[in-house]
Amino acid sequence: MNEALEVKELYVSYQGDIVVENVSFSIEKGKIVGIIGPNGAGKSTLLKAMLDLIPNDKGHVRILGKDVDDARKLVAYVPQRSDIDWDFPITVLDVVVIGTYPALGMMKRPKKEQRDWALECLKKVGMEEFKNRQIGELSGGQQQRVFLARALAQKAEVFFLDEPFVGIDATSEEMIMLILQELRTEGKTILVVHHDLSKAEFYFDELILLKKSLIQYGEVQKVLEPAVISKAYMNHHLFLNRFGEVQSS
Amino acid sequence: MKITEFVHALMTYGFLQKALFTSIMVGVICGVMGCFIILRGMALMGDAISHAVLPGVALSYMIGLNYFIGAVVTGVITAIGIGFVSQNSRIKHDMAIGIMFTSVFAVGIILITFMKSSADLYHILFGNVLSVRSSDMWMTLVIGIVIIGLVYLFYKELLVSTFDPIMAQSYGLPNKIIHYGLMILLTMVTVASLQTVGIILVVAMLITPAATAYLLTNRLWIMIYLAAGIGVVSAIVGLYFSFSYNLASGATIVLVSAFLFGIAFFFSPSQGLIWKAIKIRKNRTNLS
């Protein structure tokens, strides 16, 4: 059993409009996979639908050979930053402690053991000195690192990250990438929704190019072919900016 | 009337003791529930559910049922109705709330006019804490124990489903059940508060103490204790003014809590308007 994730004929609609159409792929363990595509391509929807966070019309998903409901505790989900209320009365460390909740089970309280583990995870992302801060006091990149620490605290096998690099500083981005690569060497599988193509070839082993339906899935070089990319970005003008990065407008 | 006289009256009159005990319980449970209501962005929902218990209470009186049952039924039906309308049309959540709860409330008013006296309506709407019966007091106590017990047992689940519902759902927490569970608790809080503050002002006791606490701390569990404490202080001081000057208890309790909110709003060490202004001025003088 070498498949971390298997998606078969997945269809998702929102208020009668089809958002994800007939998407199938299967991902081996130990890969960092980017989900890319133009705005409104259904990237985040796909990520959520894979975990049954939104209902699908049809399709089947298996995580590490199990049905989604049996695999929930093997998955860590890092939401988009815009999905979080940053004024919430919670400290940085307590956010990371939440990562220990799934393993604790209902009604049990986190103890010192859980708090120590959370602090260790916080250290991995270099945020331990901020542990008593309210989360809204951090910068975007720091917030993202705290949420990655929470995912680490979950001791998951599969990681789902929704747009982790939006609006964050270069140091944080680099640090997050390093940690993801470390997880990969431990055999974990990581899925990242990513909005721009520029760094895709450095960050990911494989890409899922999405525009409602699956345009292409495979090794990064295979997907980043201009002929393939233009299928997804048909109405978007691709150009190389002055740094030589591919951008879409 | 002086405070000593109030204390003396408290020792003498059973009805006042019941009133005080019930008010304190209401202060605690409204404060605790209020924290989750405001952090989930459901302040308006709290208003809606509290109004929606009216027809349930009226019907229960008519058919001689415990009004607790009717209140929970119409409260929950309204909560489901609001969810149904907003999820199945372009009608936004706040619009759905506005439509549903006013309709249900209107039904309640018509039902009440079929009852014998209009004094009943007045008491249900605005509370009449000095007429609290022993049975009401015990019911409030039971509701209080249920709510505090549930919040204690499921604190962790409530925290994560409030702070990050997507993550909660991703590891298998039933967000919908938690939502409707909270709606049921909300109707229970309203029923418990009927005598003390009345339907109209329950929402104030839910929101104001919790909002005051929200300005004072960055930790949820401290916020819950603070909100409960502020609720209790408001209840006691409010009852004192109500009894001493013969004013509606709901109104005096709510005004005390609003006064406490005002203090926090201006003087909170981290969020207060005054300290912010002083800091800004200091920064400017340092620069010039």
Side-chain angles (χ1 to χ4, degrees):
Chain A
M1 188 70 245
N2 226 7
E3 251 85 65
L5 199 67
E6 218 183 329
V7 176
K8 265 194 203 140
E9 292 169 31
L10 191 64
Y11 286 79
V12 186
S13 56
Y14 180 71
Q15 300 213 333
D17 297 325
I18 294 171
V19 192
V20 170
E21 191 177 12
N22 193 15
V23 170
S24 304
F25 56 85
S26 87
I27 295 172
E28 274 177 38
K29 280 184 202 164
K31 302 271 184 204
I32 303 181
V33 181
I35 303 177
I36 54 169
N39 283 337
K43 302 182 295 274
S44 296
T45 308
L46 174 65
L47 202 67
K48 289 189 177 117
M50 279 193 275
L51 284 176
D52 256 344
L53 302 179
I54 43 176
N56 60 44
D57 296 336
K58 189 191 166 199
H60 198 70
V61 179
R62 289 181 78 78
I63 298 172
L64 295 159
K66 293 178 180 165
D67 282 329
V68 174
D69 276 332
D70 300 324
R72 292 201 174 281
K73 291 186 178 160
L74 302 170
V75 180
Y77 185 95
V78 178
Q80 261 181 60
R81 266 196 321 117
S82 56
D83 285 342
I84 297 295
D85 169 15
W86 297 104
D87 287 328
F88 198 93
I90 192 167
T91 60
V92 167
L93 184 62
D94 283 339
V95 171
V96 184
V97 172
I98 290 178
T100 67
Y101 286 7
L104 270 176
M106 283 272 196
M107 297 204 276
K108 294 215 182 68
R109 297 279 180 134
K111 304 254 163 52
K112 190 175 179 303
E113 185 193 339
Q114 279 77 24
R115 302 190 73 79
D116 287 347
W117 169 239
L119 190 63
E120 210 173 296
C121 295
L122 206 51
K123 277 182 189 153
K124 278 190 201 153
V125 301
M127 288 294 297
E128 72 273 21
E129 60 181 302
F130 298 96
K131 66 179 175 148
N132 291 324
R133 294 276 191 91
Q134 193 265 337
I135 42 158
E137 296 169 15
L138 307 181
S139 74
Q142 291 172 327
Q143 289 170 343
Q144 200 67 55
R145 275 148 68 187
V146 170
F147 273 73
L148 181 62
R150 186 181 74 175
L152 295 176
Q154 284 181 254
K155 299 180 180 166
E157 289 298 319
V158 182
F159 292 77
F160 283 36
L161 289 85
D162 198 350
E163 298 269 20
F165 301 124
V166 168
I168 75 172
D169 57 288
T171 323
S172 294
E173 187 163 338
E174 219 167 277
M175 186 170 227
I176 289 170
M177 246 358 263
L178 277 174
I179 290 168
L180 295 183
Q181 281 156 2
E182 207 173 289
L183 288 170
R184 173 179 59 189
T185 51
E186 292 168 17
K188 318 282 189 199
T189 312
I190 299 131
L191 256 84
V192 182
V193 170
H194 194 54
H195 65 291
D196 77 318
L197 301 167
S198 59
K199 290 173 189 156
E201 72 177 299
F202 309 113
Y203 282 179
F204 306 118
D205 304 319
E206 295 177 337
L207 287 176
I208 292 170
L209 180 58
L210 199 69
K211 192 189 178 188
K212 219 196 262 182
S213 54
L214 183 71
I215 304 288
Q216 182 77 271
Y217 163 62
E219 307 249 313
V220 172
Q221 279 74 16
K222 228 171 73 190
V223 178
L224 285 180
E225 287 287 326
V228 177
I229 287 289
S230 62
K231 273 190 224 164
Y233 290 86
M234 227 163 352
N235 301 319
H236 301 254
H237 300 287
L238 288 172
F239 58 92
L240 291 172
N241 69 11
R242 63 201 165 94
F243 305 110
E245 293 168 338
V246 188
Q247 289 193 328
S248 71
S249 64
Chain B
M1 189 160 84
K2 286 200 198 90
I3 290 168
T4 46
E5 286 173 60
F6 178 68
V7 174
H8 182 73
L10 207 52
M11 312 262 233
T12 325
Y13 304 119
F15 74 90
L16 197 56
Q17 290 160 7
K18 282 180 208 156
L20 182 72
F21 182 78
T22 312
S23 305
I24 287 173
M25 279 311 292
V26 167
V28 172
I29 56 180
C30 282
V32 172
M33 277 302 289
C35 289
F36 293 103
I37 298 299
I38 66 167
L39 290 174
R40 295 170 86 93
M42 294 190 347
L44 204 53
M45 195 70 176
D47 198 21
I49 300 301
S50 57
H51 280 73
V53 305
L54 183 64
V57 172
L59 271 179
S60 306
Y61 269 130
M62 281 170 160
I63 55 179
L65 215 63
N66 187 321
Y67 59 88
F68 177 66
I69 298 165
V72 170
V73 169
T74 52
V76 171
I77 287 175
T78 310
I80 293 170
I82 289 166
F84 183 79
V85 169
S86 62
Q87 273 159 29
N88 292 292
S89 68
R90 68 192 295 183
I91 301 290
K92 299 266 186 305
H93 204 62
D94 58 340
M95 286 196 262
I97 289 173
I99 296 163
M100 298 299 291
F101 97 79
T102 47
S103 312
V104 175
F105 192 65
V107 171
I109 291 174
I110 288 175
L111 284 175
I112 293 244
T113 47
F114 289 128
M115 287 162 53
K116 342 176 245 321
S117 77
S118 62
D120 291 333
L121 177 64
Y122 187 83
H123 288 160
I124 291 170
L125 293 184
F126 300 107
N128 182 16
V129 72
L130 298 181
S131 69
V132 171
R133 290 166 303 174
S134 295
S135 61
D136 299 324
M137 186 178 81
W138 294 123
M139 190 170 69
T140 304
L141 181 68
V142 170
I143 291 174
I145 290 170
V146 168
I147 286 174
I148 291 167
L150 286 173
V151 168
Y152 179 78
L153 286 176
F154 294 103
Y155 175 77
K156 185 167 113 276
E157 284 70 28
L158 284 168
L159 166 66
V160 61
S161 78
T162 305
F163 173 59
D164 189 350
I166 303 176
M167 189 244 180
Q169 202 188 350
S170 82
Y171 82 82
L173 281 191
N175 277 347
K176 272 227 168 93
I177 293 176
I178 294 173
H179 174 80
Y180 286 110
L182 276 175
M183 291 298 109
I184 292 173
L185 293 187
L186 203 53
T187 59
M188 289 167 69
V189 170
T190 308
V191 170
S193 315
L194 274 184
Q195 305 264 331
T196 323
V197 283
I199 283 177
I200 305 277
L201 291 177
V202 173
V203 67
M205 282 306 283
L206 281 169
I207 296 169
T208 315
T212 311
Y214 181 60
L215 290 177
L216 296 173
T217 178
N218 282 327
R219 284 185 167 86
L220 178 59
W221 64 272
I222 298 177
M223 177 176 162
I224 292 173
Y225 279 107
L226 274 177
I230 293 164
V232 169
V233 171
S234 309
I236 296 172
V237 178
L239 188 66
Y240 163 74
F241 281 113
S242 168
F243 183 74
S244 307
Y245 301 100
N246 197 21
L247 298 165
S249 58
T252 52
I253 292 172
V254 167
L255 282 177
V256 173
S257 76
F259 174 74
L260 294 175
F261 173 79
I263 293 177
F265 182 76
F266 288 107
F267 299 105
S268 159
S270 58
Q271 309 288 329
L273 226 52
I274 303 286
W275 300 132
K276 273 186 196 161
I278 291 173
K279 261 191 225 161
I280 290 170
R281 178 169 282 198
K282 214 163 139 195
N283 289 345
R284 286 193 183 148
T285 46
N286 283 348
L287 287 172
S288 61

